[in-house]
């Protein structure tokens, strides 16, 4: 890796990806796209972990990435199941149309 | 190349014995439900009950043991012991309540109990984890189980909608929590809580470390969501209303207990050197959480929604103790949570018993005249409502007393004043339930649909807990003090 690439670059890039993901969650209306944005946030987190682990010369961050990926997979399985269930009952997964419960 | 070896010792297994017991029983129930005929699945609940008791026994075995396991990942010490015992108590009460409720609502599959046990395992890992990795894993094991549990009544669109909302917002909040962990790791170089504490203690001033501060802030957001603190509370009423009532009680008590366990652990164990900074944020969160929770609860007509807002407000009271941060404050957190477990599960159990299949009867108007038709049930509900409102001689009063006196002792006079004013406001909506129960004529005839002896047992345990902690609180407070002694 060239010496000029400092950890700051990685942190800035992952912060940008995280922010794009967070903005997507708030703006997009389709539940699956929203969920993809959440996955993007998790990927940004993974990038931070990898970069930090590399520069700190520690394995903890790399280890964490494996767990994050596993948890994300489990979450996806449950989440998509819930989406299917919802779509069966309501014929929509647009988040602004899911409004039976409100005050 | 050196071969990497993993050695699991007896101590390791002893430290996580309750988790192992619950996991084992959960897997057995999963297998049994696959092979049992549908009409004979009633015993699955009793097996789950057995599992919780087994976990309690194995926890009791390890009493007084103080050890780290798995390379310093999890730790059993008085704090985690207290929270593990509390989580198992919650689990026991919820399974007891569920025995009748699940049958009535036709939640006949074993997964229901399996997921409750798995969620409890996640909660206990959160309470005993001393590494951010384990805390995150515990949080996810708990959350993913509860996403499913919230939507377990598959044919009820409201239940599915609750699961949907909880899932999307929960995953969103997990990402924030994780990013917080990542940034703390990047700035301190370790995920170990004690290690973070050491690094921060050496470097006295933090103003030049925006990454660390951002990390702590994001971590607070992530936890704030799980604990339903204002302004991260928007999901709470919807999810609490839509989820099956037994699961609502589980979420309101179990998730909060585990969340506060990890919260206390992270902030007083790893970040005490930043206390002057995070107390300011917690002060604002505490005031916002108490006030918003109580004021919106005033206008609720659905009792599940009202209890949801009340649980938000109670998290605010606990945060008051958190801000105080002295000995009485931290032990007050533990005392408050235990009191809250009894009164909240008790109240939700009464709500369950007053409902029928397909007819939840959760509007406050449905409670009219119950005092005459079901005097004992109404009496129990009255005890829980008095306790939630903080009227002596109940647990809720003593809990609030300790929390507010901790705030006064730590010179947070305004916080204590705002807290007391808030509990005065809260009395209105709790006592309104009593007014309906005792002073209104019923609008229509009501019969109890899902009467079950196990749920009655849960109510008796809850009433006992509320009164015992209210009349003789010193033993409980001494226990809570003992549990946090090593943090100070």
């Amino acid at each position: 890796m060239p010496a000029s690439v400092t950890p700051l670059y990685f942190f800035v890039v992952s912060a940008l990806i995280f922010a794009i993901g967070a903005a997507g969650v708030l703006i997009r209306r389709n539940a699956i796209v929203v969920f993809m944005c959440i996955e993007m946030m998790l990927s940004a987190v993974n990038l931070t972990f990898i970069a930090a682990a590399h520069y700190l010369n520690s394995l903890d961050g790399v280890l964490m990435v494996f767990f994050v990926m596993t948890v994300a997979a489990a979450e996806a399985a449950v989440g998509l199941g819930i989406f299917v269930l919802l779509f069966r009952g309501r014929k929509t997964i647009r988040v602004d149309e899911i409004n039976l419960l409100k005050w | 190349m050196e071969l990497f070896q993993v050695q699991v010792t007896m101590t390791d297994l002893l430290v996580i014995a309750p988790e192992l017991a619950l996991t084992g029983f959960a897997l057995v129930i999963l297998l049994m439900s696959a092979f049992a005929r549908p009409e004979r699945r009633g015993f699955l609940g009793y097996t789950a009950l057995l599992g919780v008791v087994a976990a309690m026994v194995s926890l009791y075995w390890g009493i007084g043991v103080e050890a780290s396991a798995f390379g310093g990942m999890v730790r059993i010490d008085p704090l985690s012991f207290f929270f593990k015992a509390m989580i198992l108590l919650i689990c026991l009460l919820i399974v007891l309540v569920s025995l009748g409720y699940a049958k009535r609502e036709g939640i006949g599959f074993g997964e229901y109990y399996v997921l409750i046990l798995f969620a409890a395992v996640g909660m206990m890992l959160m309470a005993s984890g001393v590494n951010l990795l384990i805390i995150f894993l515990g949080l996810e094991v708990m959350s993913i189980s509860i996403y499913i549990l919230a939507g377990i009544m598959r044919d009820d669109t409201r239940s599915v909608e609750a699961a949907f909302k909880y899932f999307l917002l929960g995953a969103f909040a997990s990402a924030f929590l994780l990013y917080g962990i990542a940034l703390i790791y990047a700035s301190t170089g370790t995920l170990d809580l004690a290690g973070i504490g050491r690094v921060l203690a050496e470097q006295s001033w933090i103003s030049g470390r925006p990454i660390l501060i951002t990390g702590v802030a994001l971590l607070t957001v992530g936890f704030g969501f799980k604990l339903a603190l204002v302004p991260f509370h928007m999901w709470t009423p919807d999810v609490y209303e839509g989820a099956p009532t037994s699961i609502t009680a589980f979420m309101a008590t179990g998730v909060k207990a585990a969340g506060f366990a990890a919260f206390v652990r992270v902030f007083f164990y790893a970040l005490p050197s930043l206390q002057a900074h995070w107390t300011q944020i917690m002060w604002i969160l505490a005031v916002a959480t108490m006030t918003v929770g109580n004021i919106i609860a005033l206008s609720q007509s659905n009792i599940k929604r009202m209890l949801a807002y009340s649980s938000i407000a109670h998290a605010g009271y606990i945060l008051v103790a958190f801000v105080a941060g002295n000995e009485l404050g931290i032990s007050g957190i533990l005392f408050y949570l235990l009191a809250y477990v009894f009164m909240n599960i008790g109240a939700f159990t009464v709500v369950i018993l007053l409902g029928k299949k397909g007819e939840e009867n959760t509007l406050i108007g449905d409670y009219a005249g119950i005092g005459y038709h079901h005097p004992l049930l109404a009496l129990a509900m009255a005890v829980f409502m008095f306790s939630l409102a903080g009227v002596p001689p109940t647990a809720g009063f003593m809990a609030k007393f300790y929390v507010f006196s901790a705030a006064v002792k730590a010179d947070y006079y305004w916080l204590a004043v705002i807290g007391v004013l808030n509990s005065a406001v809260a009395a209105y909506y709790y006592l309104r339930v009593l007014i309906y129960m005792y002073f209104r004529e019923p609008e229509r005839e009501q019969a109890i649909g899902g009467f079950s002896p196990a749920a009655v047992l849960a109510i008796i345990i809850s009433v006992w807990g509320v009164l015992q902690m209210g009349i003789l609180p010193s033993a409980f407070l001494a226990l809570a003090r003992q549990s946090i002694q090593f943090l100070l």
Side-chain angles (χ1 to χ4, degrees):
Chain A
M1 200 174 291
S4 58
V5 179
T6 61
L8 193 65
Y9 288 88
F10 289 97
F11 291 151
V12 169
V13 169
S14 60
L16 278 178
I17 299 176
F18 190 85
I20 294 169
V25 171
L26 300 175
I27 294 169
R28 300 302 294 261
R29 287 287 161 262
N30 184 310
I32 292 184
V33 178
V34 169
F35 186 59
M36 279 159 63
C37 290
I38 293 174
E39 293 288 316
M40 197 155 100
M41 292 164 79
L42 293 180
S43 301
V45 172
N46 280 347
L47 185 60
T48 311
F49 271 121
I50 294 279
H54 181 79
Y55 284 99
L56 293 166
N57 226 347
S58 101
L59 268 182
D60 289 3
V62 184
L63 205 67
M64 191 81 185
V65 169
F66 284 105
F67 283 99
V68 174
M69 289 197 303
T70 316
V71 163
E75 224 167 41
V78 168
L80 295 178
I82 293 175
F83 293 170
V84 169
L85 202 54
L86 190 78
F87 186 75
R88 263 193 217 152
R90 305 278 286 276
K91 300 289 172 252
T92 178
I93 47 167
R94 286 177 63 85
V95 287
D96 46 357
E97 288 168 16
I98 311 296
N99 52 7
L100 269 184
L101 299 164
K102 62 181 169 193
W103 61 297
Chain B
M1 200 179 129
E2 200 182 326
L3 206 63
F4 187 66
Q5 278 192 333
V6 180
Q7 279 190 332
V8 178
T9 61
M10 257 335 265
T11 342
D12 288 352
L13 294 182
L14 190 68
V15 167
I16 59 158
E19 285 95 331
L20 286 179
L22 283 190
T23 315
F25 270 90
L27 294 175
V28 168
I29 297 170
L30 207 51
L31 272 180
M32 289 200 315
S33 78
F35 291 108
R37 267 172 286 149
E39 67 275 12
R40 295 196 50 205
R41 284 190 187 147
F43 68 93
L44 295 175
Y46 295 97
T47 318
L49 207 57
L50 195 66
V52 177
V53 173
M56 280 176 161
V57 171
S58 65
L59 183 67
Y60 187 74
W61 260 353
I63 206 164
V65 176
E66 206 167 316
S68 296
F70 295 101
M73 284 287 191
V74 290
R75 196 174 157 68
I76 183 91
D77 52 29
L79 185 72
S80 48
F81 185 87
F82 186 93
F83 274 107
K84 277 186 181 186
M86 184 150 74
I87 289 160
L88 285 175
L89 172 77
I90 294 168
C91 205
L92 182 82
L93 290 173
I94 296 296
V95 172
L96 276 179
V97 171
S98 299
L99 288 176
Y101 181 71
K103 201 154 111 197
R104 185 182 93 200
E105 301 291 332
I107 312 172
F109 16 90
E111 287 86 344
Y112 176 80
Y113 295 106
V114 173
L115 288 168
I116 288 182
L117 296 191
F118 279 151
V121 171
M123 289 170 190
M124 293 205 295
L125 281 179
M126 270 176 93
S128 55
V130 285
N131 189 302
L132 286 173
L133 171 60
I134 292 295
I135 291 181
F136 165 69
L137 270 186
L139 183 98
E140 287 297 324
V141 169
M142 171 186 87
S143 302
I144 293 179
S145 307
I146 290 185
Y147 299 150
I148 310 173
L149 281 173
I152 201 141
M153 287 155 84
R154 287 179 295 184
D155 306 323
D156 181 353
T157 42
R158 293 151 62 86
S159 172
V160 175
E161 179 172 328
F164 175 79
K165 286 182 172 165
Y166 194 30
F167 169 75
L168 271 189
L169 292 170
F172 189 49
S174 293
F176 277 94
L177 182 93
L178 258 184
Y179 200 39
I181 293 177
L183 293 182
I184 290 175
Y185 171 66
S187 57
T188 60
T190 174
L191 288 168
D192 182 52
L193 292 182
I196 294 171
R198 269 196 302 278
V199 171
L200 295 184
E202 283 161 18
Q203 300 158 345
S204 51
W205 185 235
I206 56 148
S207 64
R209 315 190 66 185
I211 292 185
L212 177 71
I213 299 171
T214 320
V216 175
L218 288 170
L219 199 71
T220 315
V221 172
F223 276 124
F225 174 86
K226 289 293 163 199
L227 299 172
L229 308 178
V230 177
F232 318 112
H233 69 290
M234 301 303 282
W235 58 279
T236 319
D238 287 359
V239 175
Y240 281 22
E241 188 191 341
T245 314
S246 54
I247 299 308
T248 308
F250 195 40
M251 280 194 279
T253 52
V255 175
K256 275 210 170 116
F260 269 108
F263 212 48
V264 167
R265 182 82 75 173
V266 169
F267 280 88
F268 287 103
Y269 205 68
L271 307 169
S273 45
L274 308 183
Q275 192 165 11
H277 302 269
W278 54 253
T279 35
Q280 294 168 7
I281 300 170
M282 296 297 169
W283 195 96
I284 297 169
L285 284 181
V287 170
T289 308
M290 286 188 294
T291 315
V292 172
N294 277 324
I295 287 179
I296 305 186
L298 289 177
S299 61
Q300 297 305 319
S301 55
N302 181 317
I303 195 145
K304 271 169 96 176
R305 250 185 135 69
M306 185 203 93
L307 285 172
Y309 281 108
S310 116
S311 92
I312 294 174
H314 281 281
Y317 300 134
I318 298 173
L319 266 194
V320 170
F322 202 87
V323 170
N326 46 16
E327 192 204 0
L328 186 61
I330 311 176
S331 49
I333 297 175
L334 271 56
F335 188 91
Y336 204 112
L337 280 169
L338 189 59
Y340 184 65
V341 166
F342 285 122
M343 53 203 189
N344 208 41
I345 293 187
F348 274 115
T349 310
V350 176
V351 171
I352 286 177
L353 284 185
L354 287 174
K356 272 183 287 201
K357 172 148 182 67
E359 210 184 319
E360 275 197 301
N361 290 335
T362 49
L363 291 179
I364 293 196
D366 294 331
Y367 285 70
I370 288 202
Y372 303 103
H373 297 286
H374 309 294
L376 284 176
L377 211 52
L379 185 68
M381 190 62 163
V383 170
F384 300 135
M385 286 296 140
F386 276 130
S387 182
L388 285 165
V391 176
T394 56
F397 169 74
M398 289 318 294
K400 282 208 176 74
F401 176 76
Y402 290 139
V403 163
F404 294 144
S405 47
V408 169
K409 248 188 197 163
D411 291 336
Y412 288 103
Y413 296 110
W414 276 111
L415 195 58
V417 168
I418 296 171
V420 172
L421 287 178
N422 258 298
S423 23
V425 171
Y428 168 76
Y429 60 85
Y430 292 125
L431 299 184
R432 196 165 55 137
V433 178
L434 292 190
I435 304 258
Y436 269 91
M437 286 196 308
Y438 286 107
F439 301 111
R440 293 279 172 95
E441 289 296 317
E443 287 151 13
R444 57 205 165 90
E445 201 52 43
Q446 287 211 18
I448 296 190
F451 181 85
S452 85
V456 173
L457 181 63
I459 290 186
I460 291 171
I461 296 175
S462 303
V463 170
W464 171 83
V466 165
L467 294 179
Q468 181 81 13
M469 286 184 79
I471 296 166
L472 300 166
S474 53
F476 291 95
L477 190 70
L479 188 69
R481 277 216 169 133
Q482 230 178 341
S483 307
I484 55 122
Q485 212 61 49
F486 74 102
L487 280 176
L488 303 164

